[in-house]
């Protein structure tokens, strides 16, 4: 089994888009991948189970991968977390910055 901790930096936590992308990644793998927080655990491949964990910004989750391709899957999950969770926070900040001049002019 491979496990690692990951601190969520996205202001929205793990919301539907990153949870869905992680679920898609894990569905085709031989290993079972889970997210654990505060004693609760969910299979990453099950979108609604991950959403039910209600992971928020600042939370530290433990990701566990167990099975035939665990090392490769753990690496891919970590990379996907870096892309989908961190990227969504950056994209959201950029979107707010782009909308601000329009909102200010409308007032």
């Amino acid at each position: 089994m491979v496990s690692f901790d990951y601190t969520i930096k996205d202001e929205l936590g793990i919301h539907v888009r990153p949870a869905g992308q992680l679920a898609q990644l894990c569905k085709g793998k031989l290993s079972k991948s889970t997210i654990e927080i505060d004693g609760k655990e969910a299979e990453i491949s099950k979108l609604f189970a991950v959403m039910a964990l209600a992971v928020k910004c600042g939370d530290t989750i433990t990701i566990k991968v167990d099975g035939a391709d665990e090392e490769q899957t753990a690496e891919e999950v970590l990379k996907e977390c870096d892309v989908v969770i961190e990227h969504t926070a950056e994209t959201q900040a950029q979107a707010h910055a782009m909308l601000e001049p329009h909102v200010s002019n409308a007032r």
Side-chain angles (χ1 to χ4, degrees):
M1 178 179 5
V2 177
S3 70
F4 60 91
D5 291 338
Y6 193 88
T7 301
I8 306 303
K9 295 182 181 129
D10 188 317
E11 293 173 357
L12 300 176
I14 297 182
H15 53 90
V16 73
R17 184 182 306 138
Q21 289 174 303
L22 287 168
Q24 283 294 109
L25 172 70
C26 291
K27 280 185 180 176
K29 302 297 179 186
L30 299 173
S31 297
K32 177 181 174 183
S33 302
T34 59
I35 292 177
E36 184 180 309
I37 184 169
D38 298 331
K40 298 180 288 182
E41 188 173 84
E43 278 191 53
I44 296 175
S45 61
K46 297 182 179 178
L47 174 65
F48 291 112
V50 172
M51 295 299 301
L53 294 175
V55 179
K56 298 174 185 63
C57 182
D59 287 345
T60 298
I61 59 174
T62 300
I63 296 178
K64 297 178 183 176
V65 184
D66 189 24
D69 60 352
E70 63 191 26
E71 289 181 17
Q72 179 183 349
T73 299
E75 235 179 87
E76 291 176 15
V77 169
L78 177 58
K79 285 180 185 175
E80 192 72 7
C81 285
D82 286 339
V83 171
V84 300
I85 295 173
E86 298 303 320
H87 181 68
T88 53
E90 181 181 323
T91 303
Q92 182 184 9
Q94 289 173 350
H96 283 286
M98 288 172 52
L99 288 175
E100 185 57 35
H102 300 289
V103 173
S104 297
N105 290 337
R107 291 183 188 154

